[in-house]
Amino acid sequence: MLKLTKPQLLAVLAALVLIVLILLLPRKASISPTTVVNGNEMSFSFEKFYNDAYTQLSENNKRVIDNLKESITHENTDSLRSLLNDSLANIWKAFNWPTIAAYYFEQSASIRNNEKSWFKAGDAYFAAFRFVNENKEYTLDKAIYCYQKILEIDSANLSAKTSIGVCFIEGASYLGKAPMEGVLMLQQVLDKDPKNINALFNLGYFAIQSAQYEKALERFKTILQIDSTYAEAYIYMADAYLSLADTSATISALKNYRAFVTDETIKEQIENYITELTEHKH
């Protein structure tokens, strides 16, 4: 059997990490939310984006949406209006339109105005930013807006600060900011809470992106000292170890990750990759 070279192995592992991230994520129909005039792309219009998405629904699904929206307009109780907006969000999520789902989670959060609801909206917008190719500036700005609403409620909320830091790093090119601004925010979170797993994980992830593999391993090992069941740490440790040409440690990390996997598709990918690595050693 043909053995893979190290660059090929890295490519396979990158694909495996992507599979882990993508398999359970919503997919969106192909549609452009912008208008092009004389070769220039105009600013994003959510109304147009929504209308274009709505026209693609079946008549039955349109009726479901219309009935819920009508109920919201006639409902005076905040708790019920927020629940109806949540229902619309979950329906649009099921229809594979995450940006519109995030919009309705935001409407619900604006009614409830509590940290949990703003987190749900911010996370929904950020998921759309990460995994939908269009209107990235819009979804990123909205994610940051929602996380900042949490800080208006509790200025010491480290989870919100971590989320904003991640937005600044991943969205640096869209925000016109240096990624280091986000890294510093995450480090400030760790200064206040050295065991903050969310900040540690993201700093480890970004260390891999900048080829600081030893630093990344340090972050992920710290996470596992805090929580030995934090499975995602193992898959990124495998990435870092392989980049350092430590095949044995890569295999060990993958086996540790495999122990937590229940999805058969992912488990099969891991088994195949461990086989490739084992053959590559000899």
Side-chain angles (χ1 to χ4, degrees):
M1 183 176 180
L2 181 65
K3 294 182 179 179
L4 299 180
T5 63
K6 181 184 174 184
Q8 288 172 323
L9 288 170
L10 284 168
V12 173
L13 182 54
L16 175 59
V17 172
L18 188 62
I19 288 170
V20 171
L21 291 172
I22 294 295
L23 271 178
L24 301 180
L25 293 171
R27 293 174 176 80
K28 190 185 81 59
S30 177
I31 185 171
S32 174
T34 55
T35 302
V36 178
V37 179
N38 296 325
N40 296 317
E41 190 174 79
M42 300 178 66
S43 60
F44 172 74
S45 166
F46 179 80
E47 182 179 3
K48 179 182 183 302
F49 181 73
Y50 179 94
N51 290 337
D52 287 343
Y54 180 82
T55 61
Q56 297 186 36
L57 300 179
S58 68
E59 291 304 314
N60 183 60
N61 287 340
K62 287 179 181 178
R63 282 193 293 272
V64 172
I65 295 294
D66 292 343
N67 288 338
L68 281 170
K69 291 178 68 176
E70 182 71 15
S71 296
I72 290 174
T73 61
H74 292 97
E75 181 55 60
N76 295 320
T77 306
D78 283 350
S79 59
L80 290 178
R81 285 173 56 235
S82 63
L83 285 173
L84 289 168
N85 275 291
D86 282 341
S87 295
L88 275 170
N90 287 318
I91 288 171
W92 278 106
K93 184 177 180 180
F95 292 164
N96 295 325
W97 290 94
T99 301
I100 299 176
Y103 168 82
Y104 281 108
F105 280 131
E106 181 191 356
Q107 300 310 300
S108 178
S110 67
I111 296 170
R112 290 192 174 103
N113 196 32
N114 59 40
E115 295 174 45
K116 182 178 179 180
S117 296
W118 283 116
F119 262 122
K120 181 180 287 188
D123 289 348
Y125 274 123
F126 192 57
F129 164 75
R130 273 180 162 174
F131 301 109
V132 177
N133 289 329
E134 298 93 355
N135 49 278
K136 283 185 172 291
E137 292 90 347
Y138 173 82
T139 49
L140 180 64
D141 285 344
K142 279 290 193 177
I144 294 171
Y145 168 80
C146 292
Y147 295 136
Q148 287 175 335
K149 296 296 286 186
I150 297 166
L151 294 179
E152 291 179 10
I153 298 170
D154 177 11
S155 61
N157 191 303
L158 296 182
S159 293
K161 291 181 179 180
T162 299
S163 295
I164 293 173
V166 173
C167 286
F168 282 175
I169 297 171
E170 292 198 25
S173 62
Y174 298 97
L175 297 169
K177 295 178 178 288
M180 187 53 64
E181 184 173 342
V183 172
L184 290 175
M185 288 189 70
L186 296 182
Q187 189 57 58
Q188 289 170 1
V189 170
L190 285 186
D191 290 343
K192 293 183 178 295
D193 178 14
K195 293 185 177 182
N196 190 294
I197 288 180
N198 194 12
L200 284 165
F201 182 84
N202 282 288
L203 284 171
Y205 170 77
F206 294 122
I208 287 179
Q209 301 307 303
S210 57
Q212 300 178 71
Y213 303 116
E214 295 288 357
K215 174 62 73 174
L217 288 169
E218 178 184 330
R219 301 293 192 190
F220 294 127
K221 288 177 181 178
T222 300
I223 289 173
L224 292 171
Q225 289 172 358
I226 299 168
D227 181 2
S228 61
T229 66
Y230 201 91
E232 289 83 356
Y234 288 114
I235 192 71
Y236 287 102
M237 287 177 69
D239 191 352
Y241 278 128
L242 187 60
S243 297
L244 294 170
D246 191 338
T247 305
S248 296
T250 303
I251 292 172
S252 177
L254 286 171
K255 287 180 177 179
N256 284 326
Y257 179 71
R258 182 184 58 188
F260 294 96
V261 173
T262 57
D263 186 282
E264 291 301 323
T265 301
I266 296 176
K267 187 174 291 187
E268 182 180 357
Q269 291 286 336
I270 295 170
E271 294 286 355
N272 292 340
Y273 190 55
I274 289 174
T275 300
E276 293 283 0
L277 285 169
T278 302
E279 293 176 353
H280 186 71
K281 285 178 61 178
H282 303 296

